[in-house]
Amino acid sequence: MQLASPNLDVLSSFMTFLPSLIQLLTTYWKLILASFVIWSVIVFLRRGKQSKEYSSLLAPPVGSSPSHQASLNGSDGIPPMYHRSYSQISDRPTSTKLSSQDQEDLNVTISQKQDARVKQPYEAFLVLDVEATCQEGAGFEWPNEIIEWPVCLMRWKDKSNLGKACQLEIVDEFRSFVKPTWRPQLSQFCTELTGITQAQVNSAPNFQKVLKMFARFLARHGLIDPKSGRPIQRFCWCSDGPFDVRDFVVKQCFISKAPMPPWLKGDVLDVRRVVSVWAVASGNPETMAKQLEALGLPAFQGRLHSGIDDTRNIARVMTELARRGVRLEPNTSINTNRRWNWMGKPGEVLEHTLMF
Ligand code: AMP
Ligand code: MG
Ligand code: MG
C-alpha cells in the first residue's frame, strides 16, 4: 500500500506552475522591479520622517539652556507626572518602541512647547496668612484675636490683551502686628508657636487702626477707591486653607465691633485646596511643607507660623500654580454674619462658654 505524502503533492503542484511563473516574471519583470523600488522608497521616507519627529521632541531646541536640559531629565524638581494633563502623547505615532523614560521625556517636552498662559480673570491677588492669639488645646472655636496682618500683593507680569497670563509675582508687601484687646496677654504657647512677642503686640496698633493703614495701602495700589473703600480692580484674597478671612477676620471684626470693610468681603481662594486637587498623587497636602513638596518646589523658607514667612511661601505656591497654567479664581464662600457660641452682643465674649 502506498502512503500519500503531502510534501510530494505540494512539490509536484509547484513544478506544474513553475514554467508559468517563469513566463510571468520574464514578461513583467520591469513592472515588478519598478513596484519594488517605489515601495522601498516609500518605506524609507516614512521611517525618516518618524525618527525626525522623535528626535526633535527628545533633543533640546538649538541654543537651549542647561536648565532646559535639566527639566527634560526631570531634575528641575518638577515631577513629570504634573505635566501629563498638558501632553498630547496619544496623537503621536506609537510604532517605534520607546522606553518609559523616553515617554516621560516626550510628555515634558510637548508640554513645554505649549503656551502655559490661560485666561486669568483676576488682576491682583492679596495673599494673607494671619497669626492670632491661641491657647494650647483650645482649638479653633475659641475667640482668637489677630496679632499679625501680613499681605503679599501679587500681580501678573505677562498678561496679554486677551487676559492670558502665567507669570505671577509679588509687587509689594504689607505687614503689621496687631494689639489684641479681649486678652491682651499672649500665652507662652502662642509666642512659641508664632514667634511673636508680648512687646511686639504691646506697641502695635489695634485692629481697626491696622484696617485703616491697610486700606491706604490698597488705595495706593489702585485696588480700591480711597473714599468708599469699594474695589476698583478685580482682586482675590488667597490663603492656606479657608480660615483666614472666613474665620479669623469674621471673629476679629465681631470682637473689635468693626464692620467688615467692603474690600474684605470680596473673593477668597483657598490655595491649599487648589494644590490638593492639582497634586492628587500627593494626597491631601495639609502643611505648607507638603504643598511645596507636592509641587516640586524647594523647602519652606523662613519660620513656620511667622505670618509674613507663611504668606511669602503661599505666594511661592501661587507663582508655581500660575506657571503651570492653573486658572486662579475663588473657591471659598464667606459668611460675614457667622456666629460662634461664645459671641454675645457685638464685641462681647461670653466667658462662661469657654474652657480656657
Ligand atoms: P498658621 O497660619 O498655621 O500659622 O496658624 C494661624 C493661627 O492659628 C496661629 O497664629 C494660631 O492662633 C492658630 N493655631 C495654629 N496652630 C495651632 C495649634 N496647634 N493650636 C492652637 N492654635 C493654633
Ligand atoms: Mg495660616
Ligand atoms: Mg501662619
Side-chain angles (χ1 to χ4, degrees):
M1 192 174 74
Q2 197 182 349
L3 286 172
S5 160
N7 284 346
L8 278 179
D9 275 359
V10 171
L11 192 64
S12 69
S13 315
F14 180 71
M15 293 306 282
T16 318
F17 283 107
L18 191 61
S20 327
L21 191 65
I22 291 169
Q23 198 184 357
L24 201 74
L25 283 174
T26 47
T27 313
Y28 295 107
W29 71 271
K30 282 184 187 166
L31 190 67
I32 293 166
L33 187 66
S35 305
F36 179 74
V37 169
I38 291 169
W39 177 78
S40 305
V41 169
I42 290 171
V43 168
F44 179 78
L45 287 178
R46 286 180 72 178
R47 288 231 170 131
K49 196 177 164 211
Q50 281 182 5
S51 65
K52 210 168 154 191
E53 274 179 16
Y54 281 122
S55 59
S56 73
L57 291 169
L58 289 167
V62 178
S64 69
S65 64
S67 65
H68 176 95
Q69 186 62 54
S71 68
L72 284 179
N73 298 334
S75 58
D76 62 349
I78 301 162
M81 64 180 166
Y82 295 117
H83 295 283
R84 271 194 194 135
S85 56
Y86 293 107
S87 89
Q88 295 170 338
I89 194 70
S90 56
D91 298 341
R92 300 283 147 185
T94 52
S95 58
T96 304
K97 271 254 174 271
L98 291 176
S99 71
S100 59
Q101 184 56 51
D102 287 344
Q103 200 77 33
E104 290 292 353
D105 289 348
L106 274 177
N107 292 354
V108 174
T109 315
I110 292 163
S111 77
Q112 283 167 345
K113 284 187 165 191
Q114 293 183 335
D115 186 355
R117 291 195 299 177
V118 296
K119 210 158 188 176
Q120 294 286 359
Y122 284 80
E123 292 306 316
F125 299 89
L126 295 168
V127 185
L128 169 72
D129 184 88
V130 299
E131 299 304 325
T133 55
C134 49
Q135 296 280 350
E136 191 168 15
F140 291 92
E141 296 302 300
W142 199 70
N144 314 81
E145 288 182 90
I146 293 174
I147 52 174
E148 185 180 354
W149 184 268
V151 177
C152 288
L153 168 61
M154 303 188 83
R155 283 191 187 276
W156 297 107
K157 205 176 157 191
D158 63 337
K159 204 163 196 187
S160 71
N161 291 338
L162 293 171
K164 288 186 167 190
C166 72
Q167 290 176 34
L168 190 61
E169 60 179 8
I170 296 176
V171 292
D172 205 356
E173 285 182 355
F174 178 96
R175 185 199 196 192
S176 178
F177 293 111
V178 188
K179 185 192 268 191
T181 52
W182 168 62
R183 293 248 175 118
Q185 195 67 32
L186 300 185
S187 66
Q188 194 186 339
F189 174 78
C190 183
T191 293
E192 280 168 12
L193 181 81
T194 62
I196 299 170
T197 64
Q198 189 63 50
Q200 282 171 321
V201 293
N202 283 348
S203 58
N206 66 19
F207 186 65
Q208 290 98 319
K209 179 86 178 73
V210 172
L211 287 185
K212 282 194 184 130
M213 288 157 58
F214 186 68
R216 282 201 289 275
F217 171 89
L218 294 178
R220 185 156 49 82
H221 282 283
L223 290 163
I224 62 166
D225 177 82
K227 288 220 172 89
S228 66
R230 304 225 163 266
I232 48 178
Q233 275 182 36
R234 246 186 136 187
F235 61 83
C236 183
W237 292 92
C238 310
S239 291
D240 169 30
F243 322 104
D244 293 76
V245 179
R246 192 193 68 182
D247 301 347
F248 287 113
V249 170
V250 173
K251 285 179 192 177
Q252 185 63 60
C253 286
F254 175 87
I255 293 170
S256 300
K257 289 201 267 185
M260 202 141 151
W263 45 263
L264 246 178
K265 286 184 186 163
D267 303 326
V268 176
L269 166 64
D270 172 355
V271 182
R272 186 190 299 183
R273 200 164 138 201
V274 180
V275 177
S276 64
V277 171
W278 186 250
V280 184
S282 307
N284 188 12
E286 276 189 2
T287 61
M288 281 304 303
K290 280 191 185 159
Q291 287 172 51
L292 294 162
E293 191 189 328
L295 294 173
L297 293 172
F300 187 92
Q301 291 165 5
R303 186 194 191 285
L304 205 59
H305 297 299
S306 150
I308 189 68
D309 289 347
D310 285 352
T311 303
R312 287 174 184 154
N313 281 278
I314 300 167
R316 288 174 62 210
V317 170
M318 289 283 291
T319 300
E320 178 61 14
L321 291 171
R323 191 187 74 80
R324 289 169 183 235
V326 178
R327 201 173 138 105
L328 297 167
E329 52 195 351
N331 59 6
T332 304
S333 56
I334 305 298
N335 173 10
T336 54
N337 294 319
R338 186 170 168 196
R339 288 291 169 263
W340 279 259
N341 280 342
W342 50 262
M343 289 180 169
K345 293 195 295 269
E348 183 191 14
V349 175
L350 303 172
E351 303 270 350
H352 66 272
T353 64
L354 304 172
M355 285 175 67
F356 294 87

